[in-house]
Amino acid sequence: MLRTSCQRLLVALVCLPFAFAGSFLSGSIRWRVADVSTHTVEFQVVSYWNRSFSAFQSPTLGPPVLGSLVDLQAQSTVRLRFGDGTWTYLKGMITNINEAEDWIEVVTAPTPKAYSQGFEYKFINQNSLYTETQFIYVPWKVTFEGCCRYSGLQRDSDTPFNITSTVLVDGSVSFSPDPRVLPKIHVPTGGLFTVTSVVQDVSYNQASSSSLHWQACANTNLPDFTRLDANTGDIKWDVAIPGIYHLCISVSLASQPTVYSDVDFLVVSQASPSPIQINTDFANVLKGFVNLNFNVNVLASIEPTMIKAGDQIGFQVGFVPAMRNGPTAPDTGHFTVAQIASGSAEATLKFTVQPWMEGWNSFCFAAYVINDMKISSASSMKCSDAYFFGSDVIMVDATAAEQYKYRVAGQVVANHFEVREGVQLRVSISAWMPNSLGAVER
């Protein structure tokens, strides 16, 4: 029995972190250089937590809703360390909710940080043969840390998390890689999923997967049954044992390998093959134009012998926008359908491209079976990058054979043709954005 107030206080302090155990699901850091001259960087943290976690509940309003402000300081230990001895607590807005899987997405407002210099001087050793001390120049190491990880993991359950990103403010790099996945991925035996990433200062015409490199985070090991493609971010999941794991993947710049960002997330391993397979090919970059409608069609094939009466097929999409002010997802950022016909299910994601989406964005798609209001199995997850142009001004140039061109006073009128009755006209049409380096499809 506790006999003094000091003893009771000691127990309260020791137990405090454990009162918040098991609520963290996934997270990553992204940043952009705001001002090179003052070595100022803006950081954003994207994190996912259990929606039912008590610290997010309101005594009067109940569970949090879209647009709610969340004080991550309520997690007791959660903070962002900048690598120079300073740190800050974080506040963010709930930008996505999944009630079925009991998670919320929290995105912090851009947090500015002015460093004393563009990189850190790191001490190596003192060589007795020389008088000078030896240093190397390394990026600043930023850490998003706290407690605790999701309960029920195969390993590291209810332990502190530590997610890092490195920063150079010397003018050589403007943006960090921005690795993101769905926070909780349901993977069938032999399934394949992708950790996607974008770099905001690479133009559409310069896009190449060779500009990035994927590997396991420092001081972590991937399970033996996983295979990571270092050039694409594809992960093959070869295990037939059910369970929940957390993976940490680091994405670095090929031009600056010391600049990287981590993403930590959950993988729910299923003990059987999936009855669903996403057929849509997202190998090519999706394109969109501001103020125009943008549609993404997702098609999945279904193995009918593995689907029972009453099951529904759902689709989920994770949307990762450019690092700019404004909403962080379209209103239809996630959707569920129950359309099954001829062994297939299809859904269409529709939204209008907004100016704040200009630049690189990413989509991650998964299909799943909803059985008794629970996800019973899921497909492999496929991801694609999308580039949204910051203007709806599109130049069009249509050309045809010389004899079909339309002339006024001997001068050819662009995009006009004259064709005799019964003649079929073939026209080549190109479209491009002003100031772009090359043509794009329209």
Side-chain angles (χ1 to χ4, degrees):
M1 179 180 295
L2 299 179
R3 299 180 180 276
T4 68
S5 59
C6 290
Q7 286 175 309
R8 288 191 294 270
L9 177 60
L10 177 60
V11 171
L13 291 175
V14 170
C15 293
L16 181 60
F18 297 95
F20 303 106
S23 58
F24 174 77
L25 305 180
S26 175
S28 62
I29 304 170
R30 59 185 183 183
W31 53 263
R32 73 177 186 90
V33 176
D35 189 338
V36 176
S37 64
T38 59
H39 306 121
T40 300
V41 181
E42 286 186 348
F43 294 93
Q44 274 189 324
V45 174
V46 182
S47 58
Y48 297 84
W49 308 81
N50 278 128
R51 183 171 180 255
S52 58
F53 175 50
S54 59
F56 295 138
Q57 307 301 304
S58 167
T60 56
L61 301 178
V65 297
L66 204 64
S68 298
L69 296 178
V70 175
D71 187 353
L72 294 181
Q73 183 178 345
Q75 303 292 310
S76 172
T77 61
V78 178
R79 65 191 67 187
L80 184 66
R81 294 190 180 274
F82 296 110
D84 63 349
T86 63
W87 57 272
T88 184
Y89 287 123
L90 295 168
K91 295 183 179 181
M93 177 180 291
I94 296 177
T95 53
N96 205 347
I97 293 177
N98 188 312
E99 295 185 18
E101 294 199 336
D102 188 36
W103 57 253
I104 58 174
E105 177 189 65
V106 180
V107 179
T108 65
T111 302
K113 165 64 181 177
Y115 287 96
S116 59
Q117 57 209 22
F119 37 75
E120 179 184 5
Y121 294 98
K122 197 176 182 85
F123 171 73
I124 304 179
N125 66 329
Q126 177 71 51
N127 193 319
S128 59
L129 299 178
Y130 301 94
T131 58
E132 71 272 11
T133 301
Q134 296 180 349
F135 291 89
I136 58 173
Y137 307 126
V138 298
W140 296 103
K141 186 176 181 180
V142 182
T143 305
F144 175 50
E145 64 180 23
C147 193
C148 295
R149 291 188 182 279
Y150 181 72
S151 299
L153 295 175
Q154 295 294 108
R155 60 183 186 183
D156 302 330
S157 180
D158 292 328
T159 60
F161 60 87
N162 186 300
I163 300 166
T164 62
S165 180
T166 52
V167 183
L168 278 177
V169 207
D170 61 356
S172 62
V173 179
S174 300
F175 288 88
S176 70
D178 186 7
R180 292 280 294 283
V181 297
L182 294 172
K184 187 185 293 185
I185 304 172
H186 295 257
V187 183
T189 301
L192 180 73
F193 60 93
T194 305
V195 175
T196 187
S197 183
V198 297
V199 181
Q200 294 297 334
D201 58 348
V202 175
S203 72
Y204 172 81
N205 302 89
Q206 298 170 331
S208 171
S209 60
S210 62
S211 61
L212 296 170
H213 181 82
W214 286 258
Q215 63 184 9
C217 296
N219 302 319
T220 66
N221 294 308
L222 297 178
D224 294 337
F225 49 78
T226 60
R227 296 199 302 271
L228 170 64
D229 189 324
N231 297 315
T232 64
D234 290 340
I235 299 176
K236 186 68 179 296
W237 192 263
D238 281 327
V239 64
I241 302 174
I244 304 176
Y245 299 80
H246 86 86
L247 299 186
C248 187
I249 302 297
S250 179
V251 182
S252 59
L253 300 177
S255 59
Q256 288 279 4
T258 58
V259 175
Y260 65 84
S261 287
D262 297 343
V263 59
D264 201 305
F265 56 97
L266 300 186
V267 177
V268 182
S269 179
Q270 299 176 173
S272 61
S274 174
I276 315 170
Q277 180 65 45
I278 293 182
N279 294 335
T280 309
D281 183 11
F282 296 120
N284 296 322
V285 174
L286 305 172
K287 296 174 288 292
F289 302 90
V290 167
N291 299 324
L292 297 181
N293 292 331
F294 185 79
N295 298 339
V296 183
N297 295 317
V298 185
L299 178 66
S301 60
I302 300 170
E303 174 53 55
T305 60
M306 301 178 69
I307 302 293
K308 63 183 181 180
D311 289 343
Q312 293 183 337
I313 304 301
F315 287 88
Q316 184 177 10
V317 56
F319 177 73
V320 186
M323 185 179 173
R324 303 181 187 276
N325 292 327
T328 60
D331 291 337
T332 52
H334 60 279
F335 55 92
T336 300
V337 298
Q339 178 183 351
I340 305 175
S342 303
S344 66
E346 186 174 3
T348 302
L349 176 67
K350 299 180 179 181
F351 61 89
T352 301
V353 179
Q354 303 296 327
W356 56 264
M357 297 179 185
E358 178 183 359
W360 284 105
N361 304 263
S362 296
F363 294 87
C364 291
F365 297 93
Y368 51 88
V369 177
I370 305 174
N371 187 324
D372 299 326
M373 300 308 294
K374 295 181 180 180
I375 295 177
S376 60
S377 62
S379 69
S380 297
M381 185 184 69
K382 289 192 175 182
C383 298
S384 178
D385 293 333
Y387 192 89
F388 295 152
F389 291 93
S391 171
D392 57 1
V393 179
I394 305 170
M395 308 298 293
V396 178
D397 181 24
T399 59
E402 186 71 23
Q403 65 266 30
Y404 299 127
K405 293 180 179 179
Y406 181 70
R407 290 175 170 81
V408 175
Q411 299 296 317
V412 174
V413 179
N415 304 326
H416 287 68
F417 310 95
E418 55 182 355
V419 185
R420 299 187 307 274
E421 183 178 354
V423 175
Q424 186 179 35
L425 175 66
R426 291 184 178 272
V427 181
S428 174
I429 301 177
S430 299
W432 69 93
M433 302 296 297
N435 303 320
S436 70
L437 298 178
V440 299
E441 297 176 2
R442 176 69 195 278

